[in-house]
Amino acid sequence: MRRVAPLITILVLIAACTTIATHRFDELFGPADPQRFDHPLAPPPGQSYAQTIQPILDRRCVVCHACYDGPCQLKTTSWEGLARGASKTPVYDASRLLAATPSRLYIDADEPSEWRARGFFPVLNEHAPTPEANRTAGLMHRLLVLKQQHPLPAEGVVSGGLDFSIGRAAMCPAGAEIDHYERATPQGGMPFGLPGLSAAEHGVLTRWLEQGAPYEGSAVPTPLATQRIAQWEQFFNGDSLKERLFSRYAYEHLFLAHLYFDDDPQRQFFKLVRSSTPPGKPLRLIASRRPVDDPGVDRVYYRLVPERETIVAKTHMPYALGAQRMARWRALFIDAPYAVERLPGYSADTAANPFSTFAALPVSARYRFMLDEAEFTIMGFIKGPVCRGQMALDVIEDRFWVVFLAPTNEFDAMQSKLLASDANLLRLPTGSSNTEVLIPWLHYAKLENEYLKAKSDFLAQSLQGTGKLDLRLIWDGDGRNPNAALTVFRHFDSASVVKGMVGASPKSAWVIGYPLLERIHYLLVANYDVYGNVGHQLNSRLYMDFLRMEGEFNFITLLPQSQRLATRDQWYRSDSLETREQVYGGPATTLAVESGIRYATADPKRELLAMMKTKLAPVLDTRFDIDRHVAPALRAPLHELEDLHGAALQWMPESALLAIETPNGDPLTFSLLRNTAHASVSHLLGERRELRPDEDTLTVVPGVIGSYPNAFYRATANELPAMTAAIRQLRSEADYAAFARRWAVRRTNPDFWAFSDALIDRYQRDQSLEAGILDYNRFENR
């Protein structure tokens, strides 16, 4: 209590100061009305929020204020996000001892007045509805004006003490606290640390705010989309036990998806949600913390609702629905000859073990469901809320390839038997949002070792000698599916995944089978609660170490037995023998079966990766291949750029976008991705000690990979050799500053927004399905 009392006193003082500050606006414009925006004003005739206001917000505000990591929880992705306002409480908090109350837009509250009761403060004026009050008491207007009054310098870096680090403390002035903020942080106007709006853009937003932020409401689905919604809701809400169990399985895998209908030319996006009401009735959303949690009703219905927010790249996970997809799922799950005797419940134990929960569904069907869209499946942990920050991502290498074990009737039947006998060993440590750390971790580590031993024994028995441990085990995409091979990139505190084997042979690769793929999804996607306590978050990160090692084990076992330990040791150079044996060679991870692959060189790992690439060549996605999609004149200088390696690259950002200007005036976009080398990625802390700058490499690809660019560059084709030479000569931060002066489009560049707009236009034109608004929260200031 002695420790708690000072904290309570501080909180009371903060609340009192906020109240006193807010009284100034009360004196000027009367008391605030929290219900003012519960019902928005209609726009004047001829005006439209969707056509004039949201497009400006998308290009100037959404680039920072979207998703869970938007500063102050302010979301500018929709009118409802603006009306909800902001909060001083961050969503991402790795230190909280108890799970936080969720604050999800459209889910945890409906009206702005409800958000006020939850501690959110307005950024639009809720006092007297006059133009003067809308300007003076409206935080959004005040922050836009602050930037106009204190523009950035036209060159160099941003000064004024602004912090751009991912872990920076949020500055969230509420009410009349804005007065002090303006005096203390004159460079803190919006857009934060970026050039201000143009006079035309500022004028449009000012007039709209003076009018009281009118809004005509969200668009309704097209007639075609309405028809497809009805068809799919009927499919997802069949009455048989088979249909109900499958629909639960589908929902728990698709709840993050941006669903669209493959025959809809307008490509509207929808979300699959749980409702307590059936199709044809008004939707009543079930607002559970996670999709695996108890819905609290006797019967769950699965409904499709329009996506009402701007599509942002960092959370955009498109997934097509169509007649072929429905027929596929019907064949796998509805018409297949198996029985469901009863439906599982929603206990914490059930949430932690999908293998028991969905034991009645055929293993082969579940695996096929996930394999068909494997990029989407892996994207769940890449673009879901778990994947944020260095601590969450130091569990993976900076670039690696992913392939999958081939589903076969014989192997699936044997695997079903293994899962039925050992499902208890596969329980995950994230069954609850409030979790202890050490005790559960030791328990689940023991379970993992027991599972690995059973798995190794199972593999040794099923392979029956040397003949089957070869490339026939690798899924070939059935000769038509490009999801057979993926490349994952880590950009220090964010990550990306794309189809194809991008870049030169990587340091490592994963081979994933059904149990591993399912556990990755349930650990880091379906079971993960971004509002969970430190134990929940830490156990998710720690357990992912095991899953990475399993994928690596599967790859290593395809190598000659004589080379497996050497490969393992190269990946984990600085780790203890105990850690290395967790990957391969320990009591639970030794497979005493020789590879059936014939190797011809002294570098079997590189040879294996090349053989995998050859095997999958008929289905590989090659759109990020310079030799296939770049004009011949550009290939040589781009390859020279990509051949850069070693310590000079440590001064480059993790992820940069390069615009190469062409004679016809239409620049080409390329992603420059630094692959930071590590002695090991098994360490939760002290990652800097594990870096190996001499081994850093660079991947250069056409188009955009990554949602959080750290830098923008531009050059002509003729300047590429000089740019490459400048990177090769980097030796210090001062060298990079000189490089940036010539090649970078910095935060202070007067052309920043023109460059950004053109880049986004090309992105949406050239990669229309996966494109979204990029996020500039991690843009460098160097």
Side-chain angles (χ1 to χ4, degrees):
M1 287 302 294
R2 291 178 181 176
R3 295 178 180 178
V4 173
L7 176 60
I8 295 175
T9 302
I10 292 171
L11 293 175
V12 170
L13 288 174
I14 291 174
C17 291
T18 302
T19 302
I20 293 170
T22 304
H23 284 167
R24 193 176 81 80
F25 287 158
D26 291 346
E27 294 171 359
L28 290 173
F29 307 114
D33 178 10
Q35 297 181 344
R36 178 177 174 187
F37 291 102
D38 285 358
H39 303 286
L41 294 172
Q47 295 186 23
S48 167
Y49 171 88
Q51 295 178 12
T52 60
I53 304 304
Q54 192 62 53
I56 297 176
L57 299 179
D58 288 347
R59 297 298 181 96
R60 304 292 179 263
C61 305
V62 171
V63 292
C64 290
H65 288 282
C67 190
Y68 292 115
D69 57 359
C72 306
Q73 294 200 55
L74 176 61
K75 300 187 76 173
T76 58
T77 47
S78 67
W79 183 90
E80 290 85 357
L82 287 175
R84 177 180 75 157
S87 171
K88 294 177 181 289
T89 303
V91 172
Y92 287 100
D93 182 357
S95 64
R96 58 178 168 241
L97 300 179
L98 296 176
T101 301
S103 54
R104 298 161 294 181
L105 185 63
Y106 299 114
I107 297 176
D108 297 310
D110 294 322
E111 310 293 349
S113 58
E114 295 179 57
W115 288 112
R116 300 295 163 265
R118 287 172 169 258
F120 277 70
F121 58 87
V123 299
L124 303 174
N125 169 47
E126 292 184 348
H127 295 268
T130 66
E132 180 186 2
N134 290 338
R135 292 191 301 267
T136 305
L139 300 185
M140 179 177 174
H141 182 261
R142 294 281 292 269
L143 290 166
L144 292 173
V145 170
L146 185 62
K147 175 52 65 74
Q148 298 291 315
Q149 295 171 339
H150 299 275
L152 298 183
E155 61 181 3
V157 298
V158 178
S159 57
L162 300 186
D163 184 0
F164 298 107
S165 65
I166 187 175
R168 65 186 181 270
M171 296 180 287
C172 308
E177 292 174 350
I178 189 64
D179 294 342
H180 174 74
Y181 178 87
E182 291 169 339
R183 294 190 299 270
T185 319
Q187 293 293 329
M190 299 296 155
F192 185 81
L194 293 168
L197 276 58
S198 68
E201 293 166 339
H202 186 79
V204 169
L205 289 186
T206 295
R207 288 189 293 272
W208 175 72
L209 291 169
E210 288 176 337
Q211 293 169 351
Y215 170 57
E216 68 270 22
S218 56
V220 299
T222 65
L224 174 61
T226 300
Q227 181 182 358
R228 295 291 176 264
I229 289 171
Q231 293 171 347
W232 278 96
E233 287 191 345
Q234 181 181 15
F235 174 75
F236 280 128
N237 292 287
D239 291 327
S240 72
L241 295 185
K242 264 188 184 181
E243 290 169 307
R244 291 175 64 180
L245 186 59
F246 161 68
S247 293
R248 174 176 171 178
Y249 184 79
Y251 168 71
E252 291 184 10
H253 288 76
L254 298 177
F255 71 101
L256 289 180
H258 277 137
L259 302 168
Y260 67 97
F261 305 116
D262 60 10
D263 61 348
D264 180 6
Q266 295 193 27
R267 197 184 284 161
Q268 294 175 280
F269 292 105
F270 299 85
K271 304 286 285 186
L272 186 63
V273 301
R274 296 195 295 184
S275 172
S276 60
T277 53
K281 300 288 185 181
L283 186 142
R284 292 182 181 174
L285 190 70
I286 296 172
S288 58
R289 299 181 72 98
R290 303 175 301 174
V292 299
D293 290 339
D294 192 339
V297 295
D298 293 335
R299 173 75 189 269
V300 172
Y301 298 94
Y302 301 95
R303 309 283 298 275
L304 290 168
V305 298
E307 174 56 80
R308 289 178 280 180
E309 296 184 66
T310 296
I311 299 298
V312 294
K314 61 184 175 180
T315 58
H316 184 39
M317 300 171 56
Y319 195 104
L321 297 179
Q324 189 174 4
R325 179 89 65 197
M326 187 181 291
R328 170 73 160 169
W329 289 348
R330 192 176 294 280
L332 288 174
F333 293 98
I334 310 304
D335 298 334
Y338 69 96
V340 176
E341 302 295 339
R342 62 181 182 84
L343 295 177
Y346 287 91
S347 67
D349 287 342
T350 300
N353 196 335
F355 303 102
S356 295
T357 303
F358 298 104
L361 299 179
V363 168
S364 59
R366 284 180 268 164
Y367 192 28
R368 284 290 188 178
F369 179 97
M370 302 181 81
L371 272 187
D372 283 352
E373 299 293 342
E375 180 193 27
F376 171 86
T377 303
I378 297 297
M379 198 180 292
F381 91 83
I382 296 296
K383 291 193 173 185
V386 67
C387 197
R388 195 263 191 186
Q390 175 263 341
M391 287 286 285
L393 284 155
D394 65 0
V395 71
I396 60 175
E397 296 281 359
D398 265 44
R399 181 174 64 91
F400 58 94
W401 290 348
V402 176
V403 297
F404 301 90
L405 293 175
T408 65
N409 291 335
E410 177 185 8
F411 193 75
D412 287 347
M414 297 181 70
Q415 192 160 244
S416 297
K417 184 178 180 180
L418 173 69
L419 291 176
S421 61
D422 293 319
N424 185 57
L425 303 180
L426 296 173
R427 285 179 296 157
L428 298 169
T430 50
S432 169
S433 297
N434 281 306
T435 310
E436 295 177 297
V437 179
L438 183 59
I439 294 175
W441 170 243
L442 295 175
H443 173 67
Y444 285 100
K446 181 175 182 294
L447 292 179
E448 171 69 7
N449 283 332
E450 291 178 12
Y451 165 69
L452 291 177
K453 179 65 169 63
K455 175 188 172 185
S456 296
D457 293 344
F458 161 72
L459 287 175
Q461 177 184 359
S462 62
L463 291 171
Q464 296 176 350
T466 62
K468 293 183 179 180
L469 189 53
D470 57 25
L471 289 178
R472 286 174 293 180
L473 292 173
I474 303 302
W475 181 50
D476 65 357
D478 303 319
R480 62 182 182 278
N481 192 332
N483 283 279
L486 309 174
T487 301
V488 175
F489 293 91
R490 178 196 170 192
H491 320 296
F492 185 65
D493 52 22
S494 66
S496 307
V497 58
V498 295
K499 296 186 185 76
M501 292 176 158
V502 181
S505 293
K507 171 185 172 182
S508 66
W510 296 4
V511 178
I512 298 180
Y514 168 67
L516 178 54
L517 190 60
E518 194 77 276
R519 280 191 293 161
I520 289 174
H521 175 78
Y522 273 90
L523 176 74
L524 301 178
V525 186
N527 273 358
Y528 186 75
D529 181 7
V530 68
Y531 299 95
N533 76 333
V534 60
H536 174 85
Q537 298 178 50
L538 187 57
N539 280 319
S540 300
R541 159 59 181 84
L542 290 171
Y543 196 84
M544 185 57 199
D545 261 329
F546 288 149
L547 303 189
R548 180 197 66 250
M549 291 173 179
E550 277 194 50
E552 293 171 339
F553 166 87
N554 293 337
F555 175 82
I556 284 177
T557 54
L558 291 172
L559 296 172
Q561 277 187 283
S562 61
Q563 294 294 315
R564 293 173 188 171
L565 294 182
T567 301
R568 177 206 71 184
D569 290 344
Q570 201 275 333
W571 289 351
Y572 293 84
R573 277 170 279 174
S574 62
D575 287 322
S576 66
L577 178 62
E578 182 181 9
T579 298
R580 285 178 279 150
E581 288 184 342
Q582 190 72 35
V583 183
Y584 186 85
T589 57
T590 298
L591 184 63
V593 177
E594 183 58 87
S595 173
I597 300 173
R598 292 187 176 182
Y599 291 97
T601 73
D603 190 350
K605 186 191 76 172
R606 182 179 293 273
E607 200 174 347
L608 175 57
L609 291 168
M611 285 189 284
M612 286 179 171
K613 192 169 185 178
T614 299
K615 173 185 173 70
L616 301 179
V619 299
L620 280 183
D621 189 321
T622 62
R623 61 194 168 129
F624 296 113
D625 189 331
I626 290 175
D627 290 330
R628 290 175 180 262
H629 299 285
V630 175
L634 269 179
R635 292 174 191 168
L638 285 172
H639 280 307
E640 184 181 2
L641 178 61
E642 188 173 38
D643 286 342
L644 290 172
H645 61 278
L649 293 178
Q650 69 183 300
W651 305 106
M652 292 290 287
E654 295 272 348
S655 172
L657 294 175
L658 166 65
I660 299 179
E661 299 171 3
T662 60
N664 65 9
D666 186 14
L668 302 174
T669 303
F670 291 85
S671 296
L672 276 56
L673 308 171
R674 189 187 85 198
N675 307 309
T676 304
H678 299 78
S680 171
V681 292
S682 68
H683 296 271
L684 180 63
L685 301 173
E687 178 180 11
R688 292 290 182 188
R689 296 193 298 270
E690 303 300 322
L691 299 184
R692 296 294 183 269
D694 289 345
E695 300 173 19
D696 286 358
T697 61
L698 191 67
T699 301
V700 180
V701 298
V704 174
I705 291 181
S707 305
Y708 297 88
N710 302 133
F712 291 153
Y713 304 134
R714 59 182 169 192
T716 65
N718 292 334
E719 291 174 323
L720 281 178
M723 184 180 186
T724 300
I727 296 174
R728 187 180 292 113
Q729 295 166 10
L730 293 177
R731 296 295 183 271
S732 66
E733 189 65 33
D735 289 347
Y736 181 80
F739 171 86
R741 281 195 294 271
R742 179 173 180 184
W743 308 106
V745 181
R746 285 166 153 169
R747 288 173 172 271
T748 55
N749 195 307
D751 293 335
F752 181 91
W753 289 123
F755 183 95
S756 172
D757 288 344
L759 187 148
I760 293 295
D761 288 341
R762 293 194 300 274
Y763 184 27
Q764 294 179 337
R765 179 195 68 193
D766 300 337
Q767 298 167 252
S768 60
L769 178 59
E770 68 263 33
I773 300 297
L774 298 173
D775 192 289
Y776 298 161
N777 271 302
R778 301 172 199 184
F779 201 86
E780 67 181 18
N781 183 42
R782 301 166 64 197

